[in-house]
Structure formats: structure tokens, C-alpha cells
Amino acid sequence: MNTSNPLSSAWADAFAKLSPRHAFQNPVMAVVWLGTLLTAVATLAGRASAGFGWAVTGVLFLTVLFANFAEAIAEAHGRGQAASLRRARKDLVARRLDASGQDSSVPATELRPGDRVVVEEGQLVPADGEIVEGMATINEAAVTGESAPVLREAGTDRSGVIGGTKVLSDRIVVRVTAEPGHSFLDRMIALVEGSNRQKTPNEIALGILLGVMTLTFLIVVVTLPFIADFVGVQVNVVLLVALLVCLIPTTIGGLLPAIGIAGMNRALKANVLAKSGKAVEVAGDVDVLLLDKTGTITHGDRQATAFHAMAGVDPAQLRQAALLASLADPTPEGKSIVRLAREKGEALTDPARAHFVAFTAQTRMSGVDIPDDRIIRKGALDAIAAHVKSLDGRVPAELEARVIDVARKGATPLVVSDGRHVLGVIELSDVVKRGIRERFARLREMGVKTVMITGDNKFTAAHIAADAGVDDYIAEAKPEDKLARIRAEQAQGRLVAMVGDGTNDAPALAQADVGLAMNSGTQAAKEAGNMVDLDSDPAKLLAVVEIGKQQLITRGALTTFSLANDVSKYFAILPALFAAAIPSMAVLNVMNLSSPSSAVLSALIFNALVIPALVPLALRGVRFKPASATELLRSNMLIYGLGGVLLPFVGIKLIDLVLSALFSM
């Protein structure tokens, strides 16, 4: 099929969707589809004049075709991205390592989870996996569309790589994590093409409502001939079908699949891969957002800016201890401490036979053990205080005041100790992202509560929280604190969203109603979340919520419009049915339509044309601005409710004038 021209592809799909198997998946359009066949048979049987009967049949056929086109054009929007992803998934050759460390070339399709492959500069990553050795810059443009290279490194939360991306520098060893045919790209292609799209709970509920309404009106129309016969009126079967089609909510019935697909497409446009349409919609219903401070609220590149020695401690002693404790710290903060100490005149020495202690979320400190009984540590206030006391040391009374002074400036204090003695405080400065306060204010207007999670002490956390404008914060947080907070919020009936990238985030991502995993993160995090951000931007969660809100508002607005414009169409069809036999019903002909046949055709033509007319709105989404549920309801009723009632009066009257002119020629 030609995917280079979305319109021609969509029209071809629209005709293909006329098959009964597809038509009967949508109860509303199935009734219109059957009505088309019934009017055609009735016309052939002479139950209606040929001109009028075939005109009604043709308009009903176009109604079904336009509804299929709305769904097909939404699906076509994802095909361009699927094609580019397929190009990235071309046949690859891997250099698989055996137990002895020797590599051999094999097709990438033979790789299995657990296999280790080596990838060097200029080569393509053959399969999804995690870097277990080395670090490299990687071009992920084939997946994300972003040409800027990204850094991936073993042993960090940015170790995940995707098959089909290109290594630009260095050499890495990757452990394969995906079976052939089940890679990240394979799943993306299936999702953007709609083959794996499942209906969301709201969509299912609305579908049931539309089905019940359709069945109700079907029963009403079926019983109408018996009522008409009682008053001596013969009702034409073609008119009955026309009445039924105008009574049932054909507009939203035809647009409903397109709205769901378009929601996922809008997420993809923002470079967010939603594993299901449900994830996008649930994002619009979330009540609480859990956000990491670093990288989301702040820029995340905390740098050492000052050393504050305790009274009686030589500043050079503090700087030297901080430098030694940071030599094996690979984080930007650790490197900045080494750099600042050297700028202050400290020599870079690597002590012999030293044992370096890495930072962990549990200990919340790191450092070095030197054979001459020196135990140097740097970390959070409470962690260092507990460590010093465990060595029978004493925490200076001035320490807490120094820490508070640093924290009140919005910086992060790290305390340094040498054995039983506290030497001083390192000041790490971070900056709140520009515009983040306004974004939190937008979320607050939507009724969404924001909670900042940070490992910083309570003073720093309070300062950053106030500066950023979040509603609540969790200071000195451990990985399990995220999971506990999510469960606590859910126990109170709230929907929770969070973002994460590390293996230790996986339980919380899985527990959250919306879990946004970073593309650069570990495979465990990406598997646990129900969304993946291809740009690896933690702040994207804020945009995801707005996309979800827009999805819900779009469906609600178009449903309101569809139900409202049915009211106007009654005034076109009902007089046509009964006015001739019951003159008193002529008062219902408020639009002063020229004839019963013209009234029926005008209503049906308007009914058919309104579906393609609303396709751009369904694809783009209703313009979203933060507001309360009451304000949104009022706006919908005013614009789409009142507009849905008035527009058909104008449209049907104009079509009637055109038809009258044509009939009179």
C-alpha cells in the first residue's frame, strides 16, 4: 500500500473497512451500514421512488465511508513513523561474544536474551540491551528523531540501548534483553500502526452507551409504523431508515475510533511511546504527580561551589578529605568536588591500597578507607552523624546550623568526616528550571497535586519546593519511599503518575497508574512503565498529563456536539413523516423546508458531511487550557452543546435551498 500519500492510503483503507467484519465492530455505524442495504433493497422493490430512494442510499453509504475515512486517516498519521522505524530495523549483523571472550559474526535474528555482543565506533547496535562494559555516545535519531548524540554508560541508570541505533564513539559490550520480533522497535511499529491498540475504559463505556442508545432508537423506529397505522398514516421504509440514522449518534459513533488513535498519535508526536491508549487516557485523570527533583524540577547538574570548614578545622584539610572521598565518585557532583578542590590548590593524589566506598541509596554516603586507619566519608547530614557516632565520635553543635545555612540558599549540603571528626560541609548548587513554577500552577488549576521526591535534607527540599511551587515534598527519600507514597495515595482513591529510569524505580513505575520510563534508563524500568519517553526528559510527564487531559476533553466535546445536533435533525425528519397526514404537525417544520423529500435528504447530507468536517478537530484535539471540571463542562455545553443545536438548523436549511434549486431545474 502506498504510505507516501496519507490521503490516498486513507481512502483505500476506508473502502476496505466496508467489510462486514469491520463494520460490525462499531454498533452505531453497523446500523447505518445495514440501513444502506435496506434502502437499496426497498428502492429496488419499488417501495420508494427511484430518485429519492437511491439518493438516500447514496448518502447513507457516504456516511459509513466518511466514518471509515476518519479512522483510516488517524491510522495513516502513524505510518510515516512506522516506515522510518522499519528502516532502522533492517537486517543487522552482531559480533557475539562466547564464554572465552572471542567474538564471531552472527545475524542479529539469532541473538537471544543473555547473549553478549560487542559494538564499536561506527557500528549499529544489533538488539535491545544494556551496556555491561564501557561507555559510548550513541545516535538515536532513527528512534527519537533527535540528531544530538547521547551518552550511555555501564553501571548507571543510563545504560539502556535500542537495536538499530548507531555507536558514534568508543567500544561497548551489550547484554541482549529482547527476543527477536519483540524488540522496542517491533513494539513501536505495532503500536503506531494501531494493530495493538486496545480500547480504553472510557472509550468502552462510551461505546456501550452509544450501543444502548442505538438499540433504544431502533426499537422506537420499529414500533413507529404500528403507531402510524393506528392514526391512518403509511410510513415509507426509506423514511424510517432516514429517521433512525438521524436519531442515533452517528457523528460521535463515526469519530470515536479516530479520537482514540489520534490520542496515541499526539503522544508519539511528543516523542512519548504509550504502550496502550489506556495509558494516555489515564494520564488525563491523574490526581497526583510524583516528580524527582533532579533533572525534572531542577537542571540536575549540581556543582560544588564552596567548602565550609568547622571551627578549628584547617580548610585545606577539609578540601583534601573531600577530594579523596570523591576520587572514585563517577557522578557529576563527585567530579565537581574534585575539580573545585584542585582549583583551590589541592594536589590530585591516589592513595596507595585505598578502598573506595561507593554511594548507595541506603547508606546515602560514599568515601574511602586508607590503610593508615583513615576512614573518610561524605554524605547527608544524618548519615554522616550516625557514622561518626558509630566510631565514638562527636558531632559539633555548629554542624546543623552550617547545614541549614547552605540549605536555605537552595543548595545541597554534603557533610565530610575523617574518622571520628566532622571536618565541614560541601555546598552543591542546583537551579530550578525556568518556567517550572508556571507549569505546576497549570497542573494545580487542573486539580492535579504535585509531590517532589528528593534525597536532599528537609531544609534543601523545603527551599526547592517553595521556589518551584510544588504542593508537597518528600525529603531524604529512599527508593522504597516512592512505592510507599504511591500506595498511600492510591489507597485514598487517587490516580498516581510518576517518572523513573533506574532498576530501583521499576516497582514504583509498575505500581503507579501512569509510569513514564526514560528511554535512556534500564530495561527493567522500561518494562515496568506503561509509557516510554524517547527524549529521556523527566519533565515530559507534565506534557503527558496535558495530552491525556486533551484526549478526554476532545471525546467529551465531540460527544456533546453529536448528541446536541441530533435534536435539530428531528425537526427536519419528523414533519416529513407526518405533516401530510397530520396537518397540525406542520408546526414542527420550524426550518420551513421546501418538501418532505428535501427535508430528509438535507438532514442526511448534513449528517454525512459533519463527520469529515470534524476529522481535523478529532485528530488535532480540542484546544486545551487548564480549568476545573465545572468550568470545562460549562465551556463544552456552551460551545459544543449550543453550537451542536444551532449549526444543523443553518446547515440543513442551506442544503435544502441547494436541493430545491436543483429539483426545480
Side-chain angles (χ1 to χ4, degrees):
M1 181 176 291
N2 176 24
T3 60
S4 60
N5 190 335
L7 284 178
S8 62
S9 173
W11 278 119
D13 282 350
F15 279 96
K17 291 176 185 292
L18 290 171
S19 67
R21 182 177 181 182
H22 179 272
F24 281 83
Q25 293 177 2
N26 186 330
V28 178
M29 300 317 299
V31 169
V32 182
W33 188 87
L34 289 172
T36 306
L37 296 180
L38 183 59
T39 55
V41 171
T43 304
L44 288 172
R47 301 291 298 273
S49 64
F52 178 70
W54 288 120
V56 171
T57 302
V59 174
L60 294 180
F61 174 79
L62 287 176
T63 303
V64 179
L65 189 65
F66 287 155
N68 291 345
F69 174 76
E71 181 178 0
I73 195 67
E75 293 172 345
H77 273 240
R79 291 201 180 102
Q81 188 165 354
S84 67
L85 294 174
R86 280 200 177 91
R87 289 192 292 270
R89 198 189 55 177
K90 59 189 176 183
D91 294 336
L92 299 173
V93 176
R95 294 168 56 192
R96 184 168 58 188
L97 298 175
D98 57 24
S100 64
Q102 298 297 315
D103 67 87
S104 57
S105 296
V106 298
T109 54
E110 294 184 10
L111 296 175
R112 295 295 182 272
D115 287 345
R116 297 165 74 246
V117 296
V118 61
V119 192
E120 296 184 337
E121 181 179 344
Q123 297 178 343
L124 296 176
V125 178
D128 291 3
E130 292 187 349
I131 301 174
V132 292
E133 293 181 25
M135 61 184 295
T137 52
I138 296 179
N139 182 353
E140 296 183 342
V143 177
T144 67
E146 178 57 57
S147 58
V150 294
L151 182 66
R152 299 288 179 261
E153 184 176 1
T156 70
D157 287 341
R158 305 182 74 84
S159 61
V161 291
I162 301 173
T165 56
K166 188 175 184 179
V167 174
L168 300 180
S169 68
D170 302 291
R171 174 185 183 275
I172 54 175
V173 175
V174 177
R175 184 179 66 247
V176 177
T177 57
E179 293 277 0
H182 295 83
S183 69
F184 188 75
L185 288 179
D186 289 315
R187 284 182 294 169
M188 278 191 68
I189 292 169
L191 284 164
V192 299
E193 290 187 328
S195 57
N196 280 359
R197 194 186 84 85
Q198 296 178 339
K199 291 184 178 180
T200 66
N202 284 340
E203 193 174 349
I204 293 171
L206 181 56
I208 293 172
L209 173 63
L210 298 182
V212 170
M213 291 179 64
T214 300
L215 180 61
T216 302
F217 286 124
L218 180 61
I219 294 172
V220 170
V221 171
V222 168
T223 58
L224 198 57
F226 300 100
I227 299 173
D229 187 61
F230 181 75
V231 296
V233 177
Q234 295 296 318
V235 180
N236 190 297
V237 66
V238 175
L239 286 175
L240 284 176
V241 172
L243 174 63
L244 176 61
V245 171
C246 286
L247 283 172
I248 63 178
T250 50
T251 303
I252 188 60
L255 292 173
L256 192 58
I259 295 170
I261 296 169
M264 293 184 66
N265 287 344
R266 282 194 293 274
L268 280 169
K269 190 175 180 181
N271 259 0
V272 174
L273 172 63
K275 295 183 180 179
S276 70
K278 178 181 178 181
V280 178
E281 227 167 77
V282 171
D285 278 333
V286 296
D287 304 296
V288 180
L289 258 64
L290 298 187
L291 302 160
D292 280 327
K293 185 204 76 172
T294 305
T296 305
I297 295 172
T298 64
H299 286 285
D301 51 352
R302 296 183 300 179
Q303 302 291 304
T305 53
F307 296 105
H308 304 282
M310 295 292 99
V313 175
D314 185 354
Q317 183 184 359
L318 169 61
R319 293 194 297 267
Q320 185 64 25
L323 185 150
L324 291 172
S326 304
L327 284 177
D329 187 346
T331 64
E333 292 90 344
K335 293 175 182 178
S336 74
I337 293 171
V338 173
R339 182 170 59 251
L340 181 63
R342 294 188 64 190
E343 290 174 357
K344 297 289 186 179
E346 301 303 320
L348 183 59
T349 59
D350 192 355
R353 301 189 310 280
H355 171 66
F356 292 97
V357 178
F359 175 88
T360 68
Q362 284 69 37
T363 64
R364 298 175 57 242
M365 61 182 179
S366 61
V368 60
D369 296 338
I370 302 175
D372 62 356
D373 292 331
R374 292 189 69 187
I375 303 174
I376 302 174
R377 294 289 185 272
K378 74 175 195 300
L381 169 62
D382 58 335
I384 295 297
H387 167 72
V388 169
K389 290 176 181 177
S390 71
L391 298 177
D392 297 326
R394 185 179 64 84
V395 177
E398 66 174 306
L399 177 61
E400 185 172 352
R402 288 291 183 95
V403 167
I404 292 174
D405 287 342
V406 171
R408 281 176 176 163
K409 293 189 290 184
T412 300
L414 290 182
V415 181
V416 181
S417 67
D418 189 345
R420 297 184 301 166
H421 305 288
V422 175
L423 302 181
V425 177
I426 306 170
E427 182 177 327
L428 299 177
S429 298
D430 199 357
V431 180
V432 172
K433 289 183 177 180
R434 179 176 296 178
I436 199 76
R437 188 180 185 89
E438 289 74 17
R439 298 194 72 172
F440 286 144
R442 284 169 61 90
L443 289 169
R444 195 173 297 109
E445 289 178 23
M446 300 178 219
V448 179
K449 178 182 179 181
T450 51
V451 181
M452 181 184 77
I453 301 175
T454 177
D456 291 337
N457 64 73
K458 59 183 180 181
F459 301 107
T460 301
H463 180 91
I464 296 293
D467 197 18
V470 296
D471 299 309
D472 196 5
Y473 63 90
I474 303 174
E476 301 174 350
K478 301 180 181 65
E480 54 268 26
D481 293 335
K482 297 180 183 179
L483 184 60
R485 182 59 181 259
I486 291 172
R487 287 174 173 168
E489 296 286 355
Q490 290 173 333
Q492 298 179 48
R494 301 187 182 101
L495 295 179
V496 183
M498 76 155 286
V499 62
D501 57 4
T503 300
N504 60 0
D505 289 326
L509 286 169
Q511 180 69 36
D513 299 285
V514 176
L516 179 65
M518 299 295 98
N519 180 36
S520 61
T522 62
Q523 191 67 21
K526 288 191 281 188
E527 289 294 334
N530 50 21
M531 287 185 174
V532 177
D533 176 24
L534 303 179
D535 295 328
S536 299
D537 176 10
K540 187 71 69 67
L541 185 58
L542 306 178
V544 167
V545 171
E546 293 193 357
I547 291 170
K549 293 281 187 186
Q550 186 182 39
Q551 169 82 345
L552 293 172
I553 292 169
T554 299
R555 181 177 293 125
L558 293 182
T559 300
T560 302
F561 179 85
S562 176
L563 298 179
N565 70 35
D566 287 342
V567 175
S568 303
K569 288 179 285 187
Y570 304 159
F571 289 95
I573 298 292
L574 288 176
L577 282 173
F578 297 105
I582 309 175
S584 60
M585 290 197 68
V587 71
L588 295 177
N589 188 14
V590 294
M591 285 183 272
N592 195 27
L593 301 178
S594 57
S595 68
S597 58
S598 175
V600 171
L601 282 176
S602 298
L604 288 178
I605 291 172
F606 176 85
N607 192 61
L609 292 179
V610 77
I611 294 176
L614 290 175
V615 166
L617 182 61
L619 297 181
R620 185 182 67 251
V622 172
R623 184 178 179 182
F624 170 75
K625 67 176 184 178
S628 67
T630 303
E631 290 173 324
L632 290 174
L633 178 61
R634 187 185 303 118
S635 176
N636 271 353
M637 293 303 295
L638 180 63
I639 298 173
Y640 297 97
L642 185 59
V645 171
L646 297 179
L647 183 61
F649 280 99
V650 177
I652 291 173
K653 181 60 180 178
L654 290 176
I655 295 171
D656 175 69
L657 292 174
V658 173
L659 292 179
S660 299
L662 290 175
F663 290 155
S664 62
M665 293 177 62

